[in-house]
Structures are given as C-alpha cells and as structure tokens.
Amino acid sequence: MRRIAVLTSGGDAPGMNACIRSVVRYGLAAGLQVYGVRQGYRGLIDNQIFPLDSRAVSGILRAGGTILMSARSQEFHTEAGQCRAIEVLRGWDIDGLVVIGGDGSLRGALELHRKGFPVVGVPASIDNDIACTEMSIGVDTALNTILEAVDRIKDTAAALQRAFVIEVMGRSHGYLALMAGIAGGAEMVVLPGTQVDRDKVVDEVRSAFLRGKPHFIIVAAEGASSAEKSISQLLSEYVQASGHEVRTTVLGHVQRGGSPTCYDRLLGTRLGAAAVDCLLKGKSGVMVGIQSGEIAVTDLETVLSAAPELSKEALRLSEPLAH
Ligand code: F6P
C-alpha cells in the first residue's frame, strides 16, 4: 500500500471533514501518498482526483459539509460505472480507497471490493441507520441542532399554549426523532412504522393541556409519512380535531449543516485513522465503526445485510417521560 484515495459520498454529514483530515494526516505519517476525489463516485468516474498534503486539510475540523464535495451518482450504480471507477483509480496507481458516507455509499464500496479493489468504508450519515456501529459521523451534531430548534419552539409554544408538530429527518429510521424527543422533552414521538391513531392524538392533546401542560410538542420522523400525506400534515389534522391550535415546523436540511460537535470531530478523526490502519493491514470490504466505545471492524456484507435497531431502553423511556 503506497497510495490511497479518499472520497465523501451521498448526503453530507458534519464531521466528514474531520475524517478526511485524519485520513490525510494519519496516512502521510504512515508514509503513504494521499489523494482526494471530488464529488464522490461521480467524480471518481470523471477522473476528478488530486493529491492532498497536510496543508490542504488545515482549518477544516470545524467546518460543516465536506471539502471534497459529494454527489448521489446514478452512473456508479451500473456495472460500467463501477468498472470505469476502478480503471481511473488504477490509472493513478492508487492501491486503496476510503469511502466516507451512508448506506448507499457503503453499498458502492462493497461493489468495488467485490471487483477486486481494496476499499474501507466509514459510516457517515445523520440518520444513524447503519448497523454494526453505535454512532455514525454527523448524528450527534444533527441531534444538537434539532434540540436547539425544539427548545426554541417550546418557548413560543408555551407562550401561546399551542401544539407543534416538528418533523425531523432520518429517512426510514427513527433514531433522530426518538433521541430528540427524549432529550427535548416532547409530549409525543412518532416513529416510522407506528400506526398513528386519530382518537389517541386528540385525547392526549386535550388531557395534556387539562393537566396544566403549557404546550404539546410532537417530534415526528419523516419516515412515518404515508403515501398520501407527510406525517406532519396528518398529525396537524389530528391535533386540530382536538380544538387546540397547532403549528408545523419541518426542520429539513438545517439538520445537515453546521460546525460539528466535539463528539463528531473525535469520531471522524478516530474512524479516519482506523480506516487507514485497515488498508495498511491489507483489509478490504470492511467498515470501521464504534462498538462499546471502541473501534470495531466489520465486513461490509454483514453491515449491509443487518437492519439497524433502535435502543430498547430508549423506546421504553420515551412514553412515560412524555407525561
Ligand atoms: O440520509 C441523510 C438525509 O438527510 C435523510 O435524512 C433525508 O431523508 C435525505 O438525506 C435527504 O436527501 P437530499 O439531501 O438528497 O434531499
């Protein structure tokens, strides 16, 4: 292993830059030459590769987004796209690749490994929907951003004794909604896969205000939406039936931006170095993650065939604490 490359792919996540910086500086310290790929797999196919030195990654620890930029590439899903990507990497004499991204990006990494190119994946997605790691890069920052919004909304909700539906990201996974609901003191959390009952919502809103609650905050996962309606539309109709005023806030892409928290900077740094270690040891087709606070290396096959689970303890705490 003499030359390695690094790319970020899919939805960006705060802490990706810390990870890039770590791959570059840890790789250089180990005697490797390090290259960056612009715009993820799309840039790889288009030969957008350039050398990275220590100065190129100065001052990026605190920056959100990704200095390498990202993309969701359709072409890379094809056999021809994947073969072209490997051809480009071999053309640069690159011996190994670090892929920083979410589920789709790790699936791409597995395809490259299956075609014989050494690759190591690093989980980065605010959704925390990747199995075999307790946390992915970006989750902690996104949660803190959501909490700030929930706290602010609570102020105005309490002033006017209103109900609020706050819709959070997470694709089909409910991690952000569950954790933000608990940490933000929401009166109700709605997760993907849960049946929302109109009468139950009406009862809970009425009884909360009767018990003296000044507000009724519902944190809803975007993935709880149905084919006909977004979850916030549906819930706001149900709340209206209770006779109480309701407002809706869809937090959207605000959740993906911003300076990474200390946790995400450290996580990105640790996982970046661990990915380089894997390549140096000749490992490929694996993902580096965190289990019980320690670095854990798992085959991508295993990671991608497992369903990410929500903590049973958090699920158990969510309802009683809302009352
Ligand atoms: O996977 C990260 C994520 O932010 C999801 O939470 C969200 O559903 C999706 O990406 C949004 O994707 P895009 O930025 O392409 O609209």
Side-chain angles (χ1 to χ4, degrees):
M1 191 66 52
R2 289 172 306 114
R3 291 175 157 202
I4 64 168
V6 55
L7 64 79
T8 49
S9 161
D12 53 296
M16 277 182 161
N17 283 326
C19 190
I20 295 166
R21 175 178 176 273
S22 175
V23 169
V24 172
R25 295 208 174 153
Y26 192 81
L28 291 172
L32 298 170
Q33 289 176 38
V34 187
Y35 290 77
V37 182
R38 263 189 214 98
Q39 289 190 324
Y41 291 122
R42 184 195 296 162
L44 192 50
I45 291 170
D46 293 345
N47 199 10
Q48 293 195 52
I49 298 189
F50 60 104
L52 284 167
D53 62 13
S54 198
R55 291 287 69 74
V57 292
S58 286
I60 67 169
L61 261 179
R62 64 194 160 94
T66 158
I67 60 156
L68 292 178
M69 297 187 279
S70 192
R72 300 196 194 275
S73 165
Q74 288 309 315
E75 198 184 347
F76 188 75
H77 289 304
T78 65
E79 184 84 8
Q82 291 157 13
C83 291
R84 166 77 188 140
I86 292 178
E87 200 181 291
V88 170
L89 286 164
R90 296 228 161 100
W92 282 84
D93 272 339
I94 288 168
D95 310 305
L97 176 68
V98 176
V99 170
I100 308 167
D103 180 84
S105 312
L106 297 176
R107 286 184 196 281
L110 180 57
E111 288 311 318
L112 293 181
H113 163 74
R114 284 184 176 144
K115 290 188 165 52
F117 196 85
V119 58
V120 173
V122 179
S125 163
I126 64 162
D127 303 341
N128 215 21
D129 59 349
I130 300 164
C132 307
T133 184
E134 282 152 13
M135 286 294 266
S136 293
I137 294 170
V139 177
D140 186 65
T141 308
L143 264 183
N144 280 290
T145 304
I146 297 170
L147 278 187
E148 192 185 335
V150 171
D151 289 349
R152 284 169 188 259
I153 287 172
K154 263 193 173 177
D155 292 343
T156 174
L160 291 152
Q161 301 92 63
R162 281 174 171 161
F164 265 84
V165 179
I166 306 175
E167 185 181 311
V168 301
M169 278 186 168
R171 223 176 269 277
S172 57
H173 199 49
Y175 184 89
L176 290 177
L178 180 61
M179 296 306 177
I182 295 172
E187 275 69 39
M188 185 181 275
V189 174
V190 178
L191 301 175
T194 47
Q195 200 61 42
V196 195
D197 183 76
R198 181 179 181 275
D199 294 343
K200 188 169 180 261
V201 175
V202 169
D203 282 355
E204 294 220 4
V205 174
R206 282 190 185 143
S207 94
F209 282 110
L210 284 174
R211 290 196 315 274
K213 285 233 176 202
H215 48 60
F216 194 90
I217 306 291
I218 307 178
V219 175
E222 64 175 356
S225 297
S226 65
E228 309 85 57
K229 273 184 191 146
S230 74
I231 189 64
S232 36
Q233 279 174 308
L234 187 74
L235 285 166
S236 110
E237 283 170 22
Y238 289 178
V239 175
Q240 261 160 16
S242 74
H244 287 273
E245 251 196 294
V246 62
R247 295 287 186 273
T248 298
T249 304
V250 178
L251 291 183
H253 288 78
V254 163
Q255 296 161 94
R256 282 230 305 255
S259 181
T261 56
C262 175
Y263 183 91
D264 275 326
R265 295 181 200 195
L266 290 175
L267 183 65
T269 301
R270 290 178 72 194
L271 294 183
V276 174
D277 274 339
C278 282
L279 286 175
L280 287 170
K281 286 180 193 150
K283 290 190 183 155
S284 174
V286 294
M287 182 191 83
V288 290
I290 291 287
Q291 286 173 22
S292 306
E294 300 297 327
I295 297 288
V297 180
T298 314
D299 284 342
L300 279 169
E301 299 260 9
T302 309
V303 172
L304 297 169
S305 56
E309 283 181 15
L310 291 173
S311 144
K312 290 192 180 57
E313 186 203 7
L315 286 168
R316 196 170 54 80
L317 286 177
S318 174
E319 198 162 329
L321 292 181
H323 293 274

